[in-house]
Amino acid sequence: MPDVILDLFSNFWVSLVGKVLLVALMIPLIGMVIGFAEMKLSAKMQNRVGPYFAGGRWGWAQLIADGVKFFQKEDLIPTDADRPVFKTAPIWVLVGTVALFVVIPFGPGLIFRDLDVGIFYALAISSLTTIGVLVAGWSSANKYSLMGGLRAAGQMIAYELPLILAVVGSVILAGTMSMNGIVEAQIAAGYPYVIVQFVGFTIFMIAALAELTRIPFDMPIAESELVMGYLTEYSGFRFLFFFLAEFANMFSMSAIAATLFLGGYWLPGLAESQLAYLGPIILMAKVFVLVFIMIWFRWTFPRFRQDQLQSLAWKWLIPLALLNILVTATFKVLF
Amino acid sequence: MADERRTFPGGGMLKGLWVTLDTMFKTIFVPGKHLRTVNYPKVKETPVPRARGVIALDQEACTVCMLCARQCPDWCIYIEGHKEEQPPEKPGGRIKVRATLDRFDIDYALCMYCGICVEVCPFDALFWSPEYEYSEEKMGGMLHDMDRLQGWLKTVPDAPELES
């Protein structure tokens, strides 16, 4: 690259704008890719064809057409709704999603900001999404929305704990909270942490599914009992925000899981120089495997009951995660 | 029986996961055998012969008795007619009066396909037809007139043999 452009990008503000634009473009793109994958895969799992006509072949433009449709729709706000809160709720959710992308390492040095407390930041900022959901449910002036919002709050309090506790195992092994540091520790160790942290990985994925409120943990939007939960009153592009945020969150949660447990951008047998440009592709491949598993679960399992959901978190996942920390810490000290 | 099912914890979940994965690969790689849906406007399914698609009308058989219109729970049948005098069969005979249909519309936006009109018709002028492609761009277009209804008559399958 010419020096002029490199100099330009070393300017803080220019690089900031560049990064923000990159993330702003990435999120709709990733959301569309994952959304389309979900449509197609779910169709195949049910002996259907799936979207077929939009865009000619394979219906690749289905999600673009859906997006255009959402923009054409009327932006309805209920009369009794708390208008400013109702309007800002989707933004909370999307901000929580966007902010997660900051600490995902796509390659050695290819990270928006390598924070020392990267994973801590990621887990903290992802609870902004919870606030957005709760606020959406509260401000809609609709009992279904309120029930959905409260269920979401209860669920996210219950599952945030195992999510964080499951991460601790990897952090103990790596000895750092920086996302880049954890990947480098796995490179140094020579194996991805999923081998020694399989329990942690499983708990993390289950808790991540619950955090994303996807089936089998979709109590907050349970269509058969709560209409659409906290999304009931949303339409048009505000609904699109929630929709995008769900798929982008799937991506970022899978990326965090891939970074912590599957070695992130690293693949055994590749040199550091090769990782520089193959890294993003390797990470994407790992992420899409995890995303596929999420989609696969969604179209296989029925929804949990509310009490089963809570007892799974409090009686099984949290004690298991604590035990995992104990064992990991003991081994770390002894060996 | 219960022992047979309980293999090990989570065994049922794995079995369920296998079902969806298996179905997915079969549908992707052997679509001809496993696809249960068709690409509708390009490929069309043949409905079963006695499918209750739309209601067809035989104008010749209709006597404008209005029984169907009166029995219709949705009042979606609109009938108008007039009487026509016909010349007597023999010279000096009585002048015959015959009811002629002017209008026989069914509003398919209202129709709920209950089939009561077909049941009540005393002259076998109404039939179930397996035809299904009659949607329109606007709601008003769903009011199909008697020529359209007559056109569907040729899709009506022949009546089955009477059971002695």
Side-chain angles (χ1 to χ4, degrees):
Chain A
M1 233 187 276
D3 287 345
V4 187
I5 299 176
L6 275 181
D7 283 347
L8 198 64
F9 271 95
S10 61
N11 181 325
F12 173 76
W13 293 106
V14 173
S15 74
L16 182 73
V17 169
K19 284 169 176 176
V20 167
L21 278 180
L22 192 62
V23 173
L25 285 177
M26 254 170 83
I27 284 180
L29 197 70
I30 285 169
M32 272 193 235
V33 169
I34 296 179
F36 182 69
E38 167 135 45
M39 280 182 174
K40 268 304 211 197
L41 290 174
S42 67
K44 298 300 179 197
M45 284 175 186
Q46 299 174 334
N47 286 334
R48 289 185 289 117
V49 188
Y52 198 79
F53 293 104
R57 212 161 159 69
W58 305 307
W60 64 270
Q62 181 67 41
L63 262 282
I64 298 171
D66 269 358
V68 172
K69 181 196 75 178
F70 277 126
F71 272 104
Q72 286 171 343
K73 288 203 171 186
E74 190 184 353
D75 181 25
L76 279 173
I77 299 175
T79 327
D80 291 340
D82 194 341
R83 289 179 74 91
V85 182
F86 184 85
K87 280 181 176 173
T88 44
I91 300 170
W92 282 97
V93 173
L94 207 60
V95 163
T97 309
V98 173
L100 269 182
F101 279 74
V102 171
V103 289
I104 297 171
F106 288 94
L110 250 182
I111 183 170
F112 289 111
R113 191 56 129 183
D114 187 17
L115 298 173
D116 286 340
V117 286
I119 183 61
F120 179 75
Y121 163 84
L123 294 171
I125 210 85
S126 72
S127 37
L128 263 186
T129 313
T130 316
I131 297 176
V133 165
L134 186 55
V135 149
W138 175 258
S139 63
S140 294
N142 180 321
K143 56 180 180 253
Y144 296 117
S145 294
L146 184 58
M147 281 308 294
L150 290 179
R151 275 186 183 186
Q155 179 170 329
M156 300 215 181
I157 289 166
Y159 280 89
E160 201 107 306
L161 276 171
L163 191 77
I164 294 167
L165 293 177
V167 163
V168 174
S170 276
V171 172
I172 290 174
L173 283 177
T176 171
M177 276 182 144
S178 141
M179 298 286 269
N180 238 349
I182 290 172
V183 177
E184 275 157 15
Q186 291 179 68
I187 296 175
Y191 55 84
Y193 282 158
V194 67
I195 294 169
V196 283
Q197 282 292 318
F198 188 72
V199 178
F201 176 64
T202 316
I203 295 172
F204 185 90
M205 286 313 287
I206 294 174
L209 267 184
E211 282 285 293
L212 296 167
T213 65
R214 281 178 69 78
I215 289 175
F217 298 100
D218 75 327
M219 290 307 293
I221 52 171
E223 288 100 335
S224 49
E225 34 197 286
L226 288 184
V227 188
M228 198 62 186
Y230 55 88
L231 296 174
T232 306
E233 295 292 353
Y234 281 93
S235 61
F237 75 98
R238 286 181 214 282
F239 180 76
L240 185 68
F241 271 26
F242 281 109
F243 188 75
L244 264 186
E246 184 194 329
F247 287 118
N249 248 334
M250 266 171 87
F251 178 86
S252 47
M253 274 292 178
S254 301
I256 290 171
T259 306
L260 291 178
F261 298 102
L262 302 181
Y265 54 78
W266 170 66
L267 206 65
L270 285 181
E272 182 85 9
S273 56
Q274 285 168 313
L275 284 181
Y277 54 89
L278 281 179
I281 302 170
I282 293 168
L283 183 77
M284 287 285 177
K286 286 174 179 175
V287 164
F288 278 107
V289 168
L290 292 180
V291 166
F292 171 75
I293 291 174
M294 285 179 173
I295 293 173
W296 185 15
F297 271 48
R298 183 187 186 311
W299 295 94
T300 304
F301 295 129
R303 186 184 303 133
F304 275 110
R305 222 167 47 214
Q306 187 69 19
D307 61 319
Q308 291 172 331
L309 185 103
Q310 296 291 344
S311 71
L312 176 70
W314 294 102
K315 288 187 190 163
W316 294 96
L317 295 184
I318 293 175
L320 255 178
L322 286 172
L323 203 68
N324 180 44
I325 294 173
L326 191 71
V327 172
T328 314
T330 315
F331 271 81
K332 173 85 174 175
V333 172
L334 290 182
F335 302 106
Chain B
M1 286 300 282
D3 296 335
E4 216 173 291
R5 279 180 171 186
R6 276 188 205 132
T7 45
F8 57 93
M13 289 172 74
L14 290 180
K15 212 169 160 186
L17 284 173
W18 171 247
V19 169
T20 36
L21 194 71
D22 190 39
T23 314
M24 188 187 82
F25 282 121
K26 277 179 181 164
T27 319
I28 290 174
F29 293 114
V30 203
K33 199 176 162 192
H34 292 279
L35 267 186
R36 294 285 178 269
T37 54
V38 295
N39 292 319
Y40 164 59
K42 285 185 189 165
V43 189
K44 281 172 189 169
E45 274 187 326
T46 354
V48 289
R50 305 215 74 81
R52 295 179 161 204
V54 283
I55 291 155
L57 167 75
D58 184 359
Q59 289 178 23
E60 292 304 309
C62 182
T63 60
V64 204
C65 66
M66 304 264 180
L67 278 178
C68 50
R70 290 169 57 158
Q71 292 289 321
C72 180
D74 288 337
W75 291 81
C76 67
I77 304 180
Y78 302 92
I79 302 176
E80 280 167 24
H82 69 273
K83 286 176 178 166
E84 258 175 27
E85 291 188 347
Q86 289 190 322
E89 283 177 13
K90 285 178 269 183
R94 191 163 58 90
I95 292 173
K96 283 198 166 180
V97 177
R98 190 181 183 280
T100 319
L101 262 185
D102 292 327
R103 180 186 182 212
F104 191 106
D105 297 350
I106 297 182
D107 191 347
Y108 281 101
L110 286 178
C111 177
M112 59 184 196
Y113 306 89
C114 62
I116 290 176
C117 50
V118 181
E119 293 287 322
V120 298
C121 182
F123 300 101
D124 276 358
L126 291 171
F127 298 93
W128 278 113
S129 149
E131 175 68 37
Y132 57 91
E133 289 180 314
Y134 58 100
S135 62
E136 299 288 333
E137 287 196 356
K138 290 195 172 145
M139 190 109 117
M142 294 298 285
L143 186 77
H144 291 305
D145 62 5
M146 62 180 186
D147 292 334
R148 191 90 197 270
L149 299 181
Q150 181 78 45
W152 287 328
L153 190 66
K154 60 177 178 288
T155 63
V156 174
D158 291 334
E161 290 279 316
L162 290 177
E163 295 173 18
S164 63

